[in-house]
Amino acid sequence: MEELLNPRVKAIQISGIRRFFNKVADYPEAMSLTIGQPDFPTPEHIKEAAKRAIDQNYTSYTHNAGMMELRQAIQQFVEKKYQLHYDAASEIIATTGASEAIDITLRTLLEPGDEVLLPGPVYPGYEPVIHMCQAHPVHIDTTETEFKLTVDGIKQAITDKTKCLILPYPSNPTGMVLTPTELEAMATYLKDQNIFIISDEIYSELTYGTKHTSIATFDGMREKTIVINGLSKSHAMTGWRMGFLLAPEAIAPHLLKVHQYNVTCVSSITQYAALEALTNGIDDAAVMREAYQKRLDYAYGRLLEMGLPTTKPGGAFYLFPSIEKFGMPSNTFSEALLASEKLAVVPGDAFSSYGDSYIRLSYAYSEEILEEGLNRLERFISKL
């Protein structure tokens, strides 16, 4: 019966991130620096809020877009943090993680034959959805611009088939951020283009030395931008699956229809936990951010000492060192590293062909694990 399956689904490959994470099971002594998941537990007060919701039998369906109290908390959170102004009743949807927000946004916007612009290298979660919509991803090479999308790059890639641009900053896998000046230049060009912007801002609370700025705050951008965010990274809530999207009133009802038929609503218990996170835990990310910056400084310094060229990130919790000088594909390098030193990293080609001269390391791990992992990497490259 397999031949009857949707060929677009059959063509999808498991994420390179997960593939190497899963390989660790085959090596009992292996360490992993693969997964972008906070090593902090969910804050206690958030867990207690979820327990209270269970004890009080708040276990029913909610409004499809999420409880109004939660949507109001999201509205206040993004206003305070990022100067984004969206109406809780008509422009905010709580989603099952940022992943569902990406899925329903692309399925709402795309038609067969459309083109989607996105940076290369880039998080691999967009491309499969684009293909399932019978649309086409168009990667813009950012390896010569410090992994930042530029106006020139967009101008060269945009066509009359372009439906939207994905702007995923802070970036997975590179950790790059766009400055307000860079965003303003981009907004000046994009406001006159008849395309949508999907601004994936899931790492917005994890920036170092600067505050996050959303492109939706610039003149002419709000009406064409869908902002995606969530609590997985900011509040160490990956397993809770709590995301949200912000969209102008003319677009949000159509996103809500796809969301409704997809999941009905986010788990009610997760919503109560999220309400606590966004109110009493509004600054919970500060302690984690401080720890990540310390880990970043250590790991970045180690990579430079090893002679691995690395652009220093401004956010998220990833490093993307170049392995070009070793003259081997990233998958070959990563396979050999795992076999030789029992260290798993993510080959850069998991993030498009533009990443094939790089590997991704996550520093969302304890200092002890980071130190040992980097020791193993150093031993490995010393033999090449």
Side-chain angles (χ1 to χ4, degrees):
M1 300 296 288
E2 184 182 3
E3 66 273 11
L4 301 180
L5 295 177
N6 184 330
R8 288 182 294 281
V9 175
K10 289 170 65 178
I12 293 172
Q13 302 297 314
I14 186 172
S15 159
I17 303 172
R18 283 288 169 180
R19 183 161 48 85
F20 262 81
F21 176 75
N22 295 340
K23 278 180 177 290
V24 175
D26 298 328
Y27 295 85
E29 298 177 3
M31 295 181 64
S32 176
L33 297 179
T34 58
I35 296 296
Q37 174 168 263
D39 69 329
F40 295 90
T42 302
E44 287 298 320
H45 68 101
I46 297 174
K47 294 190 286 187
E48 289 301 322
K51 293 175 188 177
R52 288 195 300 272
I54 294 171
D55 291 340
Q56 294 168 7
N57 294 315
Y58 295 150
T59 54
S60 302
Y61 293 128
T62 70
H63 189 288
N64 293 129
M67 303 183 305
M68 178 54 73
E69 191 177 4
L70 172 61
R71 284 181 279 152
Q72 290 170 338
I74 294 169
Q75 174 182 321
Q76 293 162 10
F77 181 85
V78 298
E79 284 179 352
K80 179 178 180 179
K81 292 284 187 176
Y82 316 122
Q83 293 72 58
L84 289 166
H85 304 288
Y86 288 86
D87 179 65
S90 60
E91 298 182 316
I92 296 174
I93 302 172
T95 62
T96 304
S99 296
E100 194 229 342
I102 292 166
D103 177 70
I104 65 172
T105 300
L106 288 169
R107 287 199 285 143
T108 299
L109 300 183
L110 297 181
E111 299 176 271
D114 285 343
E115 293 178 350
V116 179
L117 306 184
L118 63 172
V122 70
Y123 169 65
Y126 310 112
E127 190 169 344
V129 184
I130 294 168
H131 283 305
M132 284 191 285
C133 294
Q134 300 184 61
H136 307 290
V138 177
H139 293 93
I140 300 171
D141 184 3
T142 63
T143 58
E144 299 298 323
T145 55
E146 295 188 323
F147 303 114
K148 296 184 179 188
L149 272 175
T150 65
V151 174
D152 285 344
I154 296 169
K155 285 181 177 178
Q156 292 173 26
I158 198 167
T159 72
D160 58 1
K161 294 182 179 180
T162 303
K163 176 64 70 71
C164 66
L165 165 71
I166 296 178
L167 203 60
Y169 292 97
S171 163
N172 174 7
T174 68
M176 292 301 106
V177 302
L178 296 180
T179 67
T181 300
E182 291 164 338
L183 285 166
E184 184 177 23
M186 199 172 288
T188 299
Y189 171 70
L190 290 171
K191 69 180 181 180
D192 296 324
Q193 305 303 313
N194 195 30
I195 66 171
F196 293 103
I197 314 301
I198 301 174
S199 188
D200 186 347
E201 304 178 17
I202 190 66
Y203 295 98
S204 59
E205 282 295 278
L206 301 180
T207 58
Y208 311 113
T210 183
K211 291 196 70 173
H212 174 73
T213 302
S214 173
I215 196 168
T217 60
F218 290 89
D219 181 53
M221 296 307 295
R222 186 187 186 278
E223 55 265 36
K224 60 172 56 187
T225 301
I226 295 107
V227 176
I228 292 172
N229 212 318
L231 302 182
S232 288
K233 316 300 183 180
S234 61
H235 289 74
M237 293 177 68
T238 54
W240 297 81
R241 308 313 303 132
M242 183 66 229
F244 50 85
L245 59 79
L246 318 169
E249 189 172 4
I251 300 172
H254 303 290
L255 294 163
L256 184 60
K257 288 184 288 186
V258 182
H259 167 74
Q260 173 190 340
Y261 289 113
N262 196 16
V263 298
T264 303
C265 65
V266 174
S267 157
S268 60
I269 305 306
T270 290
Q271 291 190 51
Y272 280 100
L275 178 60
E276 175 71 15
L278 291 164
T279 52
N280 295 324
I282 190 170
D283 292 320
D284 278 353
V287 173
M288 292 181 269
R289 182 169 57 244
E290 182 178 346
Y292 292 141
Q293 179 150 22
K294 184 178 179 182
R295 297 173 192 180
L296 164 60
D297 292 341
Y298 168 73
Y300 175 71
R302 285 290 306 275
L303 291 173
L304 294 187
E305 289 171 2
M306 293 179 211
L308 294 179
T310 308
T311 302
K312 190 170 186 178
F317 35 55
Y318 307 107
L319 286 153
F320 206 60
S322 171
I323 57 165
E324 184 176 13
K325 67 180 182 180
F326 300 114
M328 65 178 79
S330 60
N331 191 72
T332 302
F333 181 97
S334 301
E335 291 272 10
L337 173 60
L338 182 57
S340 173
E341 292 295 336
K342 309 300 185 291
L343 176 67
V345 298
V346 182
D349 67 356
F351 307 97
S352 85
S353 61
Y354 290 110
D356 200 23
S357 296
Y358 303 85
I359 56 172
R360 193 196 76 174
L361 311 173
S362 169
Y363 53 89
Y365 292 88
S366 70
E367 293 178 33
E368 294 75 17
I369 291 175
L370 269 180
E371 181 178 8
E372 175 58 25
L374 290 166
N375 287 343
R376 295 184 185 195
L377 176 60
E378 187 169 21
R379 282 198 303 267
F380 175 71
I381 63 175
S382 70
K383 303 171 188 174
L384 297 179

PDB file of all heavy atoms in Angstrom, residues 61-72 74 88-89 92-95 242-244 256 259 263-268 271-272:
ATOM      1  N   TYR A  61     -12.096  21.682  26.624  1.00  0.00           N
ATOM      2  CA  TYR A  61     -11.723  22.524  25.492  1.00  0.00           C
ATOM      3  C   TYR A  61     -11.746  23.991  25.905  1.00  0.00           C
ATOM      4  O   TYR A  61     -12.566  24.410  26.731  1.00  0.00           O
ATOM      5  CB  TYR A  61     -12.723  22.368  24.339  1.00  0.00           C
ATOM      6  CG  TYR A  61     -12.743  21.029  23.658  1.00  0.00           C
ATOM      7  CD1 TYR A  61     -13.957  20.349  23.494  1.00  0.00           C
ATOM      8  CD2 TYR A  61     -11.591  20.455  23.132  1.00  0.00           C
ATOM      9  CE1 TYR A  61     -14.012  19.122  22.834  1.00  0.00           C
ATOM     10  CE2 TYR A  61     -11.631  19.237  22.476  1.00  0.00           C
ATOM     11  CZ  TYR A  61     -12.840  18.575  22.329  1.00  0.00           C
ATOM     12  OH  TYR A  61     -12.893  17.376  21.677  1.00  0.00           O
ATOM     13  N   THR A  62     -10.886  24.759  25.270  1.00  0.00           N
ATOM     14  CA  THR A  62     -10.955  26.211  25.410  1.00  0.00           C
ATOM     15  C   THR A  62     -11.379  26.792  24.060  1.00  0.00           C
ATOM     16  O   THR A  62     -11.601  26.058  23.098  1.00  0.00           O
ATOM     17  CB  THR A  62      -9.589  26.806  25.797  1.00  0.00           C
ATOM     18  OG1 THR A  62      -8.687  26.707  24.675  1.00  0.00           O
ATOM     19  CG2 THR A  62      -9.001  26.088  27.004  1.00  0.00           C
ATOM     20  N   HIS A  63     -11.473  28.104  23.992  1.00  0.00           N
ATOM     21  CA  HIS A  63     -11.663  28.769  22.711  1.00  0.00           C
ATOM     22  C   HIS A  63     -10.583  28.276  21.757  1.00  0.00           C
ATOM     23  O   HIS A  63      -9.441  28.026  22.166  1.00  0.00           O
ATOM     24  CB  HIS A  63     -11.550  30.286  22.913  1.00  0.00           C
ATOM     25  CG  HIS A  63     -11.926  31.102  21.722  1.00  0.00           C
ATOM     26  ND1 HIS A  63     -11.135  31.184  20.588  1.00  0.00           N
ATOM     27  CD2 HIS A  63     -13.006  31.901  21.488  1.00  0.00           C
ATOM     28  CE1 HIS A  63     -11.696  31.980  19.709  1.00  0.00           C
ATOM     29  NE2 HIS A  63     -12.842  32.430  20.225  1.00  0.00           N
ATOM     30  N   ASN A  64     -10.902  28.142  20.491  1.00  0.00           N
ATOM     31  CA  ASN A  64      -9.919  27.646  19.522  1.00  0.00           C
ATOM     32  C   ASN A  64      -8.622  28.461  19.553  1.00  0.00           C
ATOM     33  O   ASN A  64      -7.523  27.903  19.425  1.00  0.00           O
ATOM     34  CB  ASN A  64     -10.492  27.684  18.103  1.00  0.00           C
ATOM     35  CG  ASN A  64     -11.630  26.700  17.903  1.00  0.00           C
ATOM     36  OD1 ASN A  64     -12.692  27.068  17.427  1.00  0.00           O
ATOM     37  ND2 ASN A  64     -11.426  25.436  18.260  1.00  0.00           N
ATOM     38  N   ALA A  65      -8.736  29.749  19.721  1.00  0.00           N
ATOM     39  CA  ALA A  65      -7.553  30.617  19.716  1.00  0.00           C
ATOM     40  C   ALA A  65      -6.841  30.647  21.057  1.00  0.00           C
ATOM     41  O   ALA A  65      -5.765  31.231  21.166  1.00  0.00           O
ATOM     42  CB  ALA A  65      -7.946  32.042  19.326  1.00  0.00           C
ATOM     43  N   GLY A  66      -7.398  29.987  22.054  1.00  0.00           N
ATOM     44  CA  GLY A  66      -6.834  30.000  23.395  1.00  0.00           C
ATOM     45  C   GLY A  66      -7.698  30.791  24.350  1.00  0.00           C
ATOM     46  O   GLY A  66      -8.514  31.631  23.938  1.00  0.00           O
ATOM     47  N   MET A  67      -7.544  30.544  25.642  1.00  0.00           N
ATOM     48  CA  MET A  67      -8.303  31.282  26.648  1.00  0.00           C
ATOM     49  C   MET A  67      -8.065  32.789  26.481  1.00  0.00           C
ATOM     50  O   MET A  67      -6.939  33.211  26.213  1.00  0.00           O
ATOM     51  CB  MET A  67      -7.862  30.882  28.055  1.00  0.00           C
ATOM     52  CG  MET A  67      -7.973  29.404  28.364  1.00  0.00           C
ATOM     53  SD  MET A  67      -7.499  29.043  30.084  1.00  0.00           S
ATOM     54  CE  MET A  67      -5.851  29.744  30.198  1.00  0.00           C
ATOM     55  N   MET A  68      -9.104  33.557  26.655  1.00  0.00           N
ATOM     56  CA  MET A  68      -8.935  35.002  26.512  1.00  0.00           C
ATOM     57  C   MET A  68      -7.914  35.539  27.504  1.00  0.00           C
ATOM     58  O   MET A  68      -7.111  36.430  27.172  1.00  0.00           O
ATOM     59  CB  MET A  68     -10.282  35.710  26.710  1.00  0.00           C
ATOM     60  CG  MET A  68     -10.195  37.228  26.637  1.00  0.00           C
ATOM     61  SD  MET A  68      -9.418  37.841  25.111  1.00  0.00           S
ATOM     62  CE  MET A  68     -10.724  37.508  23.945  1.00  0.00           C
ATOM     63  N   GLU A  69      -7.922  35.027  28.719  1.00  0.00           N
ATOM     64  CA  GLU A  69      -6.962  35.494  29.713  1.00  0.00           C
ATOM     65  C   GLU A  69      -5.526  35.245  29.247  1.00  0.00           C
ATOM     66  O   GLU A  69      -4.638  36.084  29.451  1.00  0.00           O
ATOM     67  CB  GLU A  69      -7.221  34.786  31.047  1.00  0.00           C
ATOM     68  CG  GLU A  69      -6.465  35.391  32.219  1.00  0.00           C
ATOM     69  CD  GLU A  69      -6.796  34.718  33.536  1.00  0.00           C
ATOM     70  OE1 GLU A  69      -7.559  33.729  33.529  1.00  0.00           O
ATOM     71  OE2 GLU A  69      -6.278  35.175  34.579  1.00  0.00           O
ATOM     72  N   LEU A  70      -5.307  34.110  28.603  1.00  0.00           N
ATOM     73  CA  LEU A  70      -3.970  33.817  28.081  1.00  0.00           C
ATOM     74  C   LEU A  70      -3.629  34.750  26.934  1.00  0.00           C
ATOM     75  O   LEU A  70      -2.515  35.290  26.861  1.00  0.00           O
ATOM     76  CB  LEU A  70      -3.898  32.356  27.609  1.00  0.00           C
ATOM     77  CG  LEU A  70      -2.615  31.970  26.863  1.00  0.00           C
ATOM     78  CD1 LEU A  70      -1.387  32.160  27.742  1.00  0.00           C
ATOM     79  CD2 LEU A  70      -2.705  30.524  26.356  1.00  0.00           C
ATOM     80  N   ARG A  71      -4.562  34.957  26.032  1.00  0.00           N
ATOM     81  CA  ARG A  71      -4.289  35.844  24.894  1.00  0.00           C
ATOM     82  C   ARG A  71      -4.027  37.277  25.358  1.00  0.00           C
ATOM     83  O   ARG A  71      -3.181  37.985  24.788  1.00  0.00           O
ATOM     84  CB  ARG A  71      -5.439  35.795  23.890  1.00  0.00           C
ATOM     85  CG  ARG A  71      -5.432  34.512  23.053  1.00  0.00           C
ATOM     86  CD  ARG A  71      -6.560  34.498  22.054  1.00  0.00           C
ATOM     87  NE  ARG A  71      -7.806  34.081  22.664  1.00  0.00           N
ATOM     88  CZ  ARG A  71      -9.014  34.442  22.250  1.00  0.00           C
ATOM     89  NH1 ARG A  71      -9.132  35.274  21.228  1.00  0.00           N
ATOM     90  NH2 ARG A  71     -10.099  33.986  22.838  1.00  0.00           N
ATOM     91  N   GLN A  72      -4.709  37.691  26.411  1.00  0.00           N
ATOM     92  CA  GLN A  72      -4.433  39.013  26.968  1.00  0.00           C
ATOM     93  C   GLN A  72      -3.033  39.072  27.568  1.00  0.00           C
ATOM     94  O   GLN A  72      -2.338  40.091  27.445  1.00  0.00           O
ATOM     95  CB  GLN A  72      -5.486  39.358  28.028  1.00  0.00           C
ATOM     96  CG  GLN A  72      -6.863  39.619  27.439  1.00  0.00           C
ATOM     97  CD  GLN A  72      -7.951  39.725  28.487  1.00  0.00           C
ATOM     98  OE1 GLN A  72      -7.801  39.223  29.613  1.00  0.00           O
ATOM     99  NE2 GLN A  72      -9.058  40.368  28.131  1.00  0.00           N
ATOM    100  N   ILE A  74      -0.473  37.268  26.518  1.00  0.00           N
ATOM    101  CA  ILE A  74       0.432  37.321  25.361  1.00  0.00           C
ATOM    102  C   ILE A  74       0.504  38.752  24.834  1.00  0.00           C
ATOM    103  O   ILE A  74       1.586  39.274  24.538  1.00  0.00           O
ATOM    104  CB  ILE A  74      -0.037  36.348  24.256  1.00  0.00           C
ATOM    105  CG1 ILE A  74       0.088  34.894  24.735  1.00  0.00           C
ATOM    106  CG2 ILE A  74       0.772  36.561  22.975  1.00  0.00           C
ATOM    107  CD1 ILE A  74      -0.591  33.886  23.820  1.00  0.00           C
ATOM    108  N   ALA A  88      -5.901  41.023  21.578  1.00  0.00           N
ATOM    109  CA  ALA A  88      -6.063  39.668  22.103  1.00  0.00           C
ATOM    110  C   ALA A  88      -7.264  38.950  21.499  1.00  0.00           C
ATOM    111  O   ALA A  88      -7.226  37.732  21.274  1.00  0.00           O
ATOM    112  CB  ALA A  88      -6.194  39.711  23.624  1.00  0.00           C
ATOM    113  N   ALA A  89      -8.329  39.686  21.222  1.00  0.00           N
ATOM    114  CA  ALA A  89      -9.557  39.057  20.746  1.00  0.00           C
ATOM    115  C   ALA A  89      -9.497  38.653  19.284  1.00  0.00           C
ATOM    116  O   ALA A  89     -10.133  37.672  18.879  1.00  0.00           O
ATOM    117  CB  ALA A  89     -10.735  40.003  20.976  1.00  0.00           C
ATOM    118  N   ILE A  92      -4.455  37.305  17.942  1.00  0.00           N
ATOM    119  CA  ILE A  92      -3.520  36.421  18.652  1.00  0.00           C
ATOM    120  C   ILE A  92      -4.109  35.013  18.712  1.00  0.00           C
ATOM    121  O   ILE A  92      -5.277  34.836  19.057  1.00  0.00           O
ATOM    122  CB  ILE A  92      -3.236  36.937  20.076  1.00  0.00           C
ATOM    123  CG1 ILE A  92      -2.516  38.296  20.015  1.00  0.00           C
ATOM    124  CG2 ILE A  92      -2.404  35.928  20.868  1.00  0.00           C
ATOM    125  CD1 ILE A  92      -2.312  38.963  21.356  1.00  0.00           C
ATOM    126  N   ILE A  93      -3.273  34.016  18.379  1.00  0.00           N
ATOM    127  CA  ILE A  93      -3.685  32.609  18.434  1.00  0.00           C
ATOM    128  C   ILE A  93      -2.642  31.826  19.209  1.00  0.00           C
ATOM    129  O   ILE A  93      -1.442  31.886  18.891  1.00  0.00           O
ATOM    130  CB  ILE A  93      -3.840  32.004  17.023  1.00  0.00           C
ATOM    131  CG1 ILE A  93      -4.854  32.793  16.199  1.00  0.00           C
ATOM    132  CG2 ILE A  93      -4.240  30.530  17.108  1.00  0.00           C
ATOM    133  CD1 ILE A  93      -4.911  32.370  14.733  1.00  0.00           C
ATOM    134  N   ALA A  94      -3.077  31.099  20.226  1.00  0.00           N
ATOM    135  CA  ALA A  94      -2.198  30.175  20.946  1.00  0.00           C
ATOM    136  C   ALA A  94      -2.101  28.891  20.130  1.00  0.00           C
ATOM    137  O   ALA A  94      -3.120  28.347  19.689  1.00  0.00           O
ATOM    138  CB  ALA A  94      -2.754  29.887  22.334  1.00  0.00           C
ATOM    139  N   THR A  95      -0.892  28.405  19.925  1.00  0.00           N
ATOM    140  CA  THR A  95      -0.671  27.242  19.064  1.00  0.00           C
ATOM    141  C   THR A  95       0.085  26.140  19.797  1.00  0.00           C
ATOM    142  O   THR A  95       0.707  26.378  20.839  1.00  0.00           O
ATOM    143  CB  THR A  95       0.133  27.639  17.809  1.00  0.00           C
ATOM    144  OG1 THR A  95       1.426  28.136  18.208  1.00  0.00           O
ATOM    145  CG2 THR A  95      -0.591  28.715  17.016  1.00  0.00           C
ATOM    146  N   MET A 242       3.972  25.036  23.725  1.00  0.00           N
ATOM    147  CA  MET A 242       3.236  26.287  23.816  1.00  0.00           C
ATOM    148  C   MET A 242       3.853  27.325  22.896  1.00  0.00           C
ATOM    149  O   MET A 242       4.952  27.824  23.130  1.00  0.00           O
ATOM    150  CB  MET A 242       3.257  26.808  25.262  1.00  0.00           C
ATOM    151  CG  MET A 242       2.453  28.090  25.454  1.00  0.00           C
ATOM    152  SD  MET A 242       0.675  27.854  25.201  1.00  0.00           S
ATOM    153  CE  MET A 242       0.325  29.218  24.077  1.00  0.00           C
ATOM    154  N   GLY A 243       3.143  27.608  21.802  1.00  0.00           N
ATOM    155  CA  GLY A 243       3.554  28.658  20.885  1.00  0.00           C
ATOM    156  C   GLY A 243       2.445  29.669  20.746  1.00  0.00           C
ATOM    157  O   GLY A 243       1.350  29.519  21.300  1.00  0.00           O
ATOM    158  N   PHE A 244       2.726  30.731  20.008  1.00  0.00           N
ATOM    159  CA  PHE A 244       1.664  31.680  19.680  1.00  0.00           C
ATOM    160  C   PHE A 244       2.049  32.449  18.432  1.00  0.00           C
ATOM    161  O   PHE A 244       3.226  32.569  18.089  1.00  0.00           O
ATOM    162  CB  PHE A 244       1.346  32.629  20.841  1.00  0.00           C
ATOM    163  CG  PHE A 244       2.524  33.324  21.474  1.00  0.00           C
ATOM    164  CD1 PHE A 244       3.031  34.498  20.944  1.00  0.00           C
ATOM    165  CD2 PHE A 244       3.111  32.813  22.624  1.00  0.00           C
ATOM    166  CE1 PHE A 244       4.092  35.161  21.540  1.00  0.00           C
ATOM    167  CE2 PHE A 244       4.184  33.463  23.234  1.00  0.00           C
ATOM    168  CZ  PHE A 244       4.680  34.644  22.686  1.00  0.00           C
ATOM    169  N   LEU A 256      -6.765  30.937  11.940  1.00  0.00           N
ATOM    170  CA  LEU A 256      -7.524  30.252  12.983  1.00  0.00           C
ATOM    171  C   LEU A 256      -8.315  29.078  12.423  1.00  0.00           C
ATOM    172  O   LEU A 256      -8.455  28.038  13.081  1.00  0.00           O
ATOM    173  CB  LEU A 256      -8.457  31.240  13.687  1.00  0.00           C
ATOM    174  CG  LEU A 256      -9.257  30.684  14.865  1.00  0.00           C
ATOM    175  CD1 LEU A 256      -8.333  30.160  15.958  1.00  0.00           C
ATOM    176  CD2 LEU A 256     -10.190  31.756  15.426  1.00  0.00           C
ATOM    177  N   HIS A 259      -5.892  26.230  12.075  1.00  0.00           N
ATOM    178  CA  HIS A 259      -5.558  25.789  13.431  1.00  0.00           C
ATOM    179  C   HIS A 259      -6.704  24.968  14.040  1.00  0.00           C
ATOM    180  O   HIS A 259      -6.478  23.916  14.648  1.00  0.00           O
ATOM    181  CB  HIS A 259      -5.267  27.023  14.284  1.00  0.00           C
ATOM    182  CG  HIS A 259      -5.208  26.773  15.754  1.00  0.00           C
ATOM    183  ND1 HIS A 259      -4.153  26.139  16.375  1.00  0.00           N
ATOM    184  CD2 HIS A 259      -6.081  27.091  16.755  1.00  0.00           C
ATOM    185  CE1 HIS A 259      -4.365  26.085  17.675  1.00  0.00           C
ATOM    186  NE2 HIS A 259      -5.535  26.643  17.926  1.00  0.00           N
ATOM    187  N   VAL A 263      -5.743  21.166  15.376  1.00  0.00           N
ATOM    188  CA  VAL A 263      -5.595  20.694  16.767  1.00  0.00           C
ATOM    189  C   VAL A 263      -6.753  21.105  17.675  1.00  0.00           C
ATOM    190  O   VAL A 263      -6.737  20.772  18.861  1.00  0.00           O
ATOM    191  CB  VAL A 263      -4.280  21.214  17.388  1.00  0.00           C
ATOM    192  CG1 VAL A 263      -3.081  20.698  16.630  1.00  0.00           C
ATOM    193  CG2 VAL A 263      -4.252  22.731  17.477  1.00  0.00           C
ATOM    194  N   THR A 264      -7.738  21.819  17.178  1.00  0.00           N
ATOM    195  CA  THR A 264      -8.855  22.378  17.952  1.00  0.00           C
ATOM    196  C   THR A 264      -8.373  23.500  18.866  1.00  0.00           C
ATOM    197  O   THR A 264      -8.775  24.645  18.733  1.00  0.00           O
ATOM    198  CB  THR A 264      -9.596  21.301  18.765  1.00  0.00           C
ATOM    199  OG1 THR A 264     -10.059  20.285  17.875  1.00  0.00           O
ATOM    200  CG2 THR A 264     -10.789  21.906  19.500  1.00  0.00           C
ATOM    201  N   CYS A 265      -7.531  23.150  19.838  1.00  0.00           N
ATOM    202  CA  CYS A 265      -6.962  24.162  20.728  1.00  0.00           C
ATOM    203  C   CYS A 265      -5.748  23.567  21.422  1.00  0.00           C
ATOM    204  O   CYS A 265      -5.557  22.346  21.445  1.00  0.00           O
ATOM    205  CB  CYS A 265      -7.978  24.645  21.770  1.00  0.00           C
ATOM    206  SG  CYS A 265      -8.504  23.358  22.938  1.00  0.00           S
ATOM    207  N   VAL A 266      -4.939  24.422  22.002  1.00  0.00           N
ATOM    208  CA  VAL A 266      -3.794  23.971  22.793  1.00  0.00           C
ATOM    209  C   VAL A 266      -4.311  23.304  24.064  1.00  0.00           C
ATOM    210  O   VAL A 266      -5.359  23.687  24.599  1.00  0.00           O
ATOM    211  CB  VAL A 266      -2.889  25.172  23.151  1.00  0.00           C
ATOM    212  CG1 VAL A 266      -1.765  24.770  24.097  1.00  0.00           C
ATOM    213  CG2 VAL A 266      -2.326  25.800  21.885  1.00  0.00           C
ATOM    214  N   SER A 267      -3.589  22.317  24.561  1.00  0.00           N
ATOM    215  CA  SER A 267      -3.937  21.683  25.835  1.00  0.00           C
ATOM    216  C   SER A 267      -4.290  22.730  26.890  1.00  0.00           C
ATOM    217  O   SER A 267      -3.545  23.692  27.101  1.00  0.00           O
ATOM    218  CB  SER A 267      -2.745  20.847  26.325  1.00  0.00           C
ATOM    219  OG  SER A 267      -2.792  20.655  27.731  1.00  0.00           O
ATOM    220  N   SER A 268      -5.409  22.541  27.554  1.00  0.00           N
ATOM    221  CA  SER A 268      -5.845  23.512  28.562  1.00  0.00           C
ATOM    222  C   SER A 268      -4.828  23.633  29.697  1.00  0.00           C
ATOM    223  O   SER A 268      -4.589  24.737  30.208  1.00  0.00           O
ATOM    224  CB  SER A 268      -7.218  23.107  29.122  1.00  0.00           C
ATOM    225  OG  SER A 268      -7.148  21.824  29.724  1.00  0.00           O
ATOM    226  N   GLN A 271      -2.046  25.767  28.663  1.00  0.00           N
ATOM    227  CA  GLN A 271      -2.445  27.172  28.629  1.00  0.00           C
ATOM    228  C   GLN A 271      -2.366  27.820  30.009  1.00  0.00           C
ATOM    229  O   GLN A 271      -1.929  28.974  30.150  1.00  0.00           O
ATOM    230  CB  GLN A 271      -3.852  27.317  28.061  1.00  0.00           C
ATOM    231  CG  GLN A 271      -3.951  27.002  26.577  1.00  0.00           C
ATOM    232  CD  GLN A 271      -5.300  27.396  25.997  1.00  0.00           C
ATOM    233  OE1 GLN A 271      -5.756  28.533  26.171  1.00  0.00           O
ATOM    234  NE2 GLN A 271      -5.940  26.466  25.306  1.00  0.00           N
ATOM    235  N   TYR A 272      -2.767  27.098  31.042  1.00  0.00           N
ATOM    236  CA  TYR A 272      -2.668  27.656  32.388  1.00  0.00           C
ATOM    237  C   TYR A 272      -1.213  27.809  32.822  1.00  0.00           C
ATOM    238  O   TYR A 272      -0.853  28.782  33.501  1.00  0.00           O
ATOM    239  CB  TYR A 272      -3.453  26.796  33.383  1.00  0.00           C
ATOM    240  CG  TYR A 272      -4.935  27.077  33.346  1.00  0.00           C
ATOM    241  CD1 TYR A 272      -5.802  26.249  32.646  1.00  0.00           C
ATOM    242  CD2 TYR A 272      -5.467  28.204  33.986  1.00  0.00           C
ATOM    243  CE1 TYR A 272      -7.172  26.522  32.587  1.00  0.00           C
ATOM    244  CE2 TYR A 272      -6.831  28.478  33.931  1.00  0.00           C
ATOM    245  CZ  TYR A 272      -7.668  27.641  33.237  1.00  0.00           C
ATOM    246  OH  TYR A 272      -9.018  27.923  33.178  1.00  0.00           O
TER     247      TYR A 272
END
